[in-house]
Amino acid sequence: MVTTLIGLMGEAQFWGHAIKTVRNIFVAIVLAAVLGFLIGLLLYRLPRLRRATEPIIASYYALPFFVLYPLAIVIVGMNDISIVIMGFAYALVAMITNTLSGLDRIPPVLSKTGRSFRMGRLQTAVLIQLPAAAPYLFTGLKLVLGYGMAGVIGSEFILSTSGIGYSIAFAYEGFESERMYGLLLFVILMVTILLTGVQIFEKRSQFTAGASWNVSTARKITGDESLVTRVGEVALVVVCFFAIWQGLHYVVGSEALTSPMETWDRARTLFATESFWGHVSETLRALGIALIIAIFGGAAIGMFLGFNRRAGEIFAPMFVALQSTPKVTLYPVMLLFFGLGFAAKVAFGAIHGIIPMTLITYNATRSINPTLIRTAKGMRLSLPQTFLTIFVPATIPELVTATRLSFSITFLGVMIGEMFASVRGLGHLIMGGIEVNDVSMMISITVLIGVFAISINGLLLSLDNRLHRR
């Protein structure tokens, strides 16, 4: 891999592809970081809007964004802007969610201190809120980096005629294994260098979380409104969503985005076919197995790294780098181990979901209030007693959060596995629609996936909010 990459670096064509990909990634992550922060701040200030849209935001990463590529082409043309839009769309919500998490976990005592010093809103934001939320913002920036790269390279992988992603796919299809692995090494090195830069900047900033281990200080967002009010808020968001959808359809036409009515008609046709439900059953079965592997495997690995400081310092950065590596570029390697079929898409789903589960569990374990641990030692609790009475209750809220995030990411991973490594499942149907430009089928299946993901995430989000307020 090293010698092949060195040889590639002597080719002008390689640098043309690399420069294009790096430029697109930079634009996508800057836009996603800035707009994601501003949208997160807006939702923080408007709790009703946040409450109505949060299940949609939580389900965002379960959706296969590639189906929107025809829409991007019609609006901006088949050029680099379309690729940037896909990377931006994939990275945006990561910054929104981490901005909300950081602002939620600012201890109220800091805000009271600011008021006692008669600080204005701008002073409070710059001197109190930003430093206290900075660790979460840096986490969001790392995720934006990873998701932005995944979106750009993934789009190039199947929807472009240039770039590093396209070069990897072309090498794989042409059985140029050495060239493919050399390009994969370049992607890994690029991810490592960028993450190292963010890590150095974070350490030099010397920000510390005001409530990094005190989950109970999280801002209450559920409110005391009645069920009718909450249903009305959700209904308003749904109406706005369909209005925007219909408006885009009028602008771009059915060749890029079918209307809600056309999508519903196609969905009814799909529902009436027995083969469609066979694909649904295949996807759900793969998702269930992949989730079990991701949740329990990630929780076990995260706790091990959290309890073992030296192991955590060595391996946690590796998981962060792996999280930022576009998984779609690894599919040729995965096929070597699992072949085409059910095992491959389970593996794709598990490798997507196990990493965020590991990282969140690791951070939760390391962030437990040290006073609780000293109290356990003072009461001479055994290791099993400490684990059951201290570590488990203290980490359960974060484990539920990790499960919620892993669900969406694992679902997306299963979809990608079905698109590239299977002849059954909803992802396979979407890929077939992309190949023949059957927009109505792509959109109808995507909407079905979205409804399912939003329903599951709504339940998990309700449980998440309850546990985080206890």
Side-chain angles (χ1 to χ4, degrees):
M1 291 171 69
V2 174
T3 55
T4 302
L5 179 58
I6 293 174
L8 289 172
M9 294 175 71
E11 300 178 4
Q13 184 182 23
F14 167 80
W15 287 112
H17 289 301
I19 290 173
K20 173 186 175 180
T21 298
V22 172
R23 182 180 66 243
N24 291 341
I25 289 173
F26 177 78
V27 175
I29 62 177
V30 169
L31 289 175
V34 174
L35 292 180
F37 173 76
L38 295 177
I39 294 173
L41 186 61
L42 177 65
L43 293 176
Y44 178 79
R45 296 292 185 185
L46 301 174
R48 287 190 173 183
L49 178 61
R50 174 183 178 179
R51 189 166 54 244
T53 58
E54 201 158 23
I56 300 175
I57 293 174
S59 307
Y60 189 79
Y61 285 115
L63 302 178
F65 293 97
F66 301 122
V67 301
L68 300 178
Y69 191 71
L71 176 63
I73 290 176
V74 171
I75 294 176
V76 300
M78 191 171 182
N79 48 40
D80 287 353
I81 298 178
S82 300
I83 302 294
V84 169
I85 289 175
M86 300 303 292
F88 163 78
Y90 197 45
L92 178 65
V93 169
M95 195 66 195
I96 294 175
T97 54
N98 279 275
T99 299
L100 289 172
S101 295
L103 295 174
D104 283 342
R105 284 159 177 78
I106 297 175
V109 65
L110 295 183
S111 300
K112 294 178 181 178
T113 303
R115 288 195 295 270
S116 68
F117 279 94
R118 298 181 180 179
M119 297 172 63
R121 285 191 174 184
L122 181 60
Q123 288 179 305
T124 302
V126 174
L127 299 178
I128 292 180
Q129 293 178 326
L130 183 61
Y136 296 92
L137 299 181
F138 276 113
T139 299
L141 185 58
K142 294 174 186 176
L143 292 175
V144 164
L145 175 62
Y147 288 132
M149 291 187 65
V152 169
I153 295 180
S155 299
E156 293 176 346
F157 201 80
I158 62 173
L159 302 169
S160 181
T161 57
S162 59
I164 294 297
Y166 165 78
S167 299
I168 293 174
F170 186 82
Y172 174 74
E173 292 172 356
F175 298 99
E176 300 179 75
S177 298
E178 292 183 358
R179 186 180 185 89
M180 179 191 71
Y181 286 117
L183 292 168
L184 285 175
L185 178 60
F186 177 78
V187 172
I188 294 172
L189 291 175
M190 183 168 58
V191 169
T192 303
I193 292 171
L194 292 174
L195 280 176
T196 301
V198 175
Q199 194 78 19
I200 292 173
F201 181 70
E202 181 180 10
K203 288 183 178 180
R204 288 188 176 181
S205 299
Q206 296 181 343
F207 286 132
T208 56
S212 61
W213 45 260
N214 191 356
V215 179
S216 63
T217 61
R219 178 173 175 261
K220 185 177 181 180
I221 62 172
T222 54
D224 299 321
E225 288 83 359
S226 65
L227 178 61
V228 175
T229 302
R230 296 182 185 181
V231 171
E233 294 169 352
V234 174
L236 181 61
V237 170
V238 171
V239 170
C240 292
F241 170 77
F242 279 102
I244 294 172
W245 182 358
Q246 186 67 47
L248 286 174
H249 166 71
Y250 281 134
V251 173
V252 301
S254 298
E255 293 78 12
L257 181 67
T258 54
S259 68
M261 187 56 66
E262 290 173 333
T263 303
W264 170 245
D265 290 338
R266 184 58 186 272
R268 287 193 304 172
T269 303
L270 289 173
F271 292 162
T273 59
E274 184 177 350
S275 61
F276 172 76
W277 293 108
H279 288 292
V280 172
S281 175
E282 180 83 0
T283 298
L284 292 178
R285 190 161 62 96
L287 174 62
I289 297 175
L291 272 176
I292 292 173
I293 297 173
I295 292 172
F296 289 98
I301 296 172
M303 285 188 177
F304 171 76
L305 297 180
F307 292 143
N308 191 322
R309 181 176 294 273
R310 180 168 296 181
E313 292 175 351
I314 294 173
F315 292 105
M318 297 182 183
F319 276 93
V320 174
L322 186 59
Q323 167 72 10
S324 300
T325 303
K327 311 300 185 302
V328 69
T329 61
L330 301 178
Y331 99 94
V333 183
M334 301 291 289
L335 293 182
L336 292 177
F337 287 94
F338 300 100
L340 290 170
F342 187 80
K345 56 188 173 186
V346 170
F348 269 104
I351 198 173
H352 276 75
I354 198 171
I355 299 174
M357 190 74 194
T358 297
L359 292 175
I360 295 176
T361 304
Y362 167 73
N363 290 330
T365 305
R366 292 291 301 273
S367 300
I368 292 176
N369 190 335
T371 303
L372 299 178
I373 300 176
R374 289 195 294 267
T375 302
K377 291 180 179 179
M379 299 180 67
R380 298 181 180 179
L381 297 180
S382 64
L383 184 59
Q385 289 176 319
T386 303
F387 179 79
L388 292 175
T389 59
I390 301 294
F391 286 103
V392 171
T395 58
I396 277 181
E398 300 301 331
L399 291 179
V400 174
T401 299
T403 300
R404 179 168 55 83
L405 296 176
S406 292
F407 165 77
S408 295
I409 300 296
T410 302
F411 202 169
L412 179 62
V414 171
M415 291 290 102
I416 294 176
E418 290 180 339
M419 292 172 73
F420 295 109
S422 179
V423 294
R424 287 182 58 81
L426 296 179
H428 171 70
L429 293 180
I430 291 175
M431 193 62 182
I434 291 175
E435 292 174 349
V436 300
N437 197 32
D438 188 349
V439 178
S440 62
M441 184 172 71
M442 291 189 296
I443 299 300
S444 60
I445 294 177
T446 301
V447 171
L448 174 64
I449 293 171
V451 171
F452 173 72
I454 290 172
S455 300
I456 299 297
N457 269 300
L459 297 175
L460 291 175
L461 187 61
S462 177
L463 178 61
D464 191 6
N465 286 332
R466 286 176 179 271
L467 290 174
H468 272 82
R469 305 300 173 258
R470 293 185 62 181

